[in-house]
Amino acid sequence: MKLTAEQLKQFDDLGYVMLQDVFDPEEVGVLTADLPRIYEMDRPEVWRENTGVVRTAFAAHRYSEPFRYIGEHPRLIEPVKQLLDGEVYIHQYKINAKAAFDGDVWQWHQDYGTWARDDGMPEPRAMNIALFIDDVTEFNGPLWVIPGSHKQGVMAAGHDLATTSYPLWTLDKASITDLAFEHGMFSAKGKAGSVLMFHSNLVHASSPNIGPWGRTIVYLSLCEVSNHITQFKREEWIAHRDFTPITPLPDDCLRDLARSAEAAE
Ligand code: SIN
Ligand code: MN
C-alpha cells in the first residue's frame, strides 16, 4: 500500500493522514481475540492504570503472534518507509486499552519530545501509526491532534510523574491554547480497522474514558534505521534496542492466521 500524492501533501501540511478500512473485520477479530489473554498477563510490559485496569501492553509483538504480524504488516510498514524515505525499525510498540469508565487521560504531548529527551533519538525521522481495533467514537476517548503543530519542532515540556501511572513529557496549557486557537483540533474517529498515521512532533492527547465502551488502539512507533536511539535510560521494552530493519510479511498474513485458527477448532 502506497500513499497518494494528495495524502503525502496532507501529511506534510497537517502532520497526519487518516485512512479508513485498512483492515477488515476478520483481520481485526484475530487481534481482539488475543486481548483477554494479554490483559491477564502478570509481566512488567503490561502497565496498569492506578485503578488496576490495563493502560498499555508494551512490546506485545513479542508475546502475541497476531500483534507480531501487525508490527510487520506491509499495509503499515510500506507507507511509513515512503514517508521516512528509508528502512525502519520498531522503536516502540504498544496496545493502549483506554478501558471503559477507567481508561485514564493521555496529557498533551509530542512523542519526539520524549524520544529526544529520554532516548537520545537524533532527529524526528520517526513516526506513529495508530491502528484502531475498536470503533473509536466521541464517547470512548478518541485521540485529539492539533493540525500543523508538527511544524513547531520540539516544544518546551515538563516531566509529569504524577497525573497518571505513566511518566510523560507534557506541554503547558498556554502553549496548547495558543496552538489550538490558531489551528483548531482534529478528533481521530473511525471504525475498527482504520489507521491514523502521524508525525512524531504532532501535538496530541486524549481524555479519560467515562463511557461504557473500551477503546483499544495499537501504536506502532517506527524510526528510520540510521536515526536509531543513542541513550538507553528506559526499559528496553519501552524504547527498543533492536534496530534491525523490518521485512514486511505477505499482505494476507492476518487472514491466513484467522483461517488456520478457525480450521483448528
Ligand atoms: C499516546 O499518545 O502515546 C497514546 C494516546 C492515546 O492512546 O490516547
Ligand atoms: Mn503519544
Side-chain angles (χ1 to χ4, degrees):
M1 195 174 92
K2 291 269 184 206
L3 298 176
T4 63
E6 199 182 322
Q7 288 168 328
L8 292 171
K9 179 167 177 356
Q10 193 200 324
F11 188 89
D12 208 37
D13 291 347
L14 303 181
Y16 65 89
V17 182
M18 179 87 222
L19 308 167
Q20 305 286 341
D21 298 319
V22 178
F23 292 91
D24 68 24
E26 184 182 29
E27 296 175 304
V28 172
V30 224
L31 297 164
T32 49
D34 206 23
L35 289 176
R37 183 187 71 86
I38 295 171
Y39 290 174
E40 270 183 14
M41 286 179 162
D42 182 15
R43 52 191 303 159
E45 294 96 322
V46 180
W47 198 284
R48 293 179 185 275
E49 308 279 18
N50 293 325
T51 56
V53 298
V54 171
R55 178 176 178 82
T56 300
F58 285 100
H61 60 309
R62 300 204 187 132
Y63 47 86
S64 163
E65 194 178 17
F67 285 98
R68 175 171 71 78
Y69 285 16
I70 281 302
E72 297 168 38
H73 205 289
R75 274 175 247 161
L76 304 178
I77 304 305
E78 295 298 353
V80 174
K81 282 167 74 172
Q82 192 186 356
L83 283 165
L84 296 178
D85 197 19
E87 296 295 322
V88 295
Y89 76 93
I90 304 181
H91 169 60
Q92 186 172 83
Y93 188 118
K94 51 193 201 283
I95 305 173
N96 278 6
K98 189 77 90 173
F101 296 113
D102 290 323
D104 211 348
V105 63
W106 282 84
Q107 313 92 304
W108 287 106
H109 68 282
Q110 296 171 299
D111 284 0
Y112 180 67
T114 297
W115 302 341
R117 290 179 182 99
D118 286 350
D119 307 328
M121 187 184 284
E123 306 273 340
R125 270 188 294 122
M127 57 173 283
N128 281 314
I129 303 174
L131 163 62
F132 301 180
I133 60 172
D134 282 319
D135 293 346
V136 179
T137 73
E138 63 270 46
F139 301 115
N140 60 5
L143 196 69
W144 292 355
V145 310
I146 301 186
S149 54
H150 62 303
K151 300 203 169 160
Q152 298 292 317
V154 177
M155 298 169 66
H159 206 194
D160 183 348
L161 304 171
T163 302
T164 75
S165 64
Y166 185 70
L168 202 63
W169 287 94
T170 60
L171 306 177
D172 64 28
K173 291 176 185 166
S175 313
I176 298 303
T177 306
D178 289 348
L179 275 175
F181 280 24
E182 188 181 346
H183 299 283
M185 274 187 203
F186 172 70
S187 172
K189 294 181 281 188
K191 284 197 317 219
S194 307
V195 164
L196 176 77
M197 305 203 149
F198 62 101
H199 192 284
S200 54
N201 271 333
L202 193 73
V203 174
H204 60 284
S206 67
S207 61
N209 189 0
I210 57 166
W213 296 281
R215 186 228 67 177
T216 311
I217 299 181
V218 184
Y219 290 89
L220 252 187
S221 303
L222 302 173
C223 181
E224 197 272 317
V225 286
S226 67
N227 189 48
H228 67 75
I229 63 170
T230 58
Q231 190 171 287
F232 308 112
K233 284 201 317 211
R234 301 201 290 172
E235 300 287 355
E236 67 77 37
W237 42 265
I238 294 182
H240 302 168
R241 294 167 204 172
D242 176 358
F243 311 134
T244 313
I246 303 166
T247 307
L249 292 168
D251 191 79
D252 260 357
C253 57
L254 273 176
R255 268 185 222 126
D256 286 349
L257 191 63
R259 285 168 201 173
S260 51
E262 208 173 289
E265 270 168 19

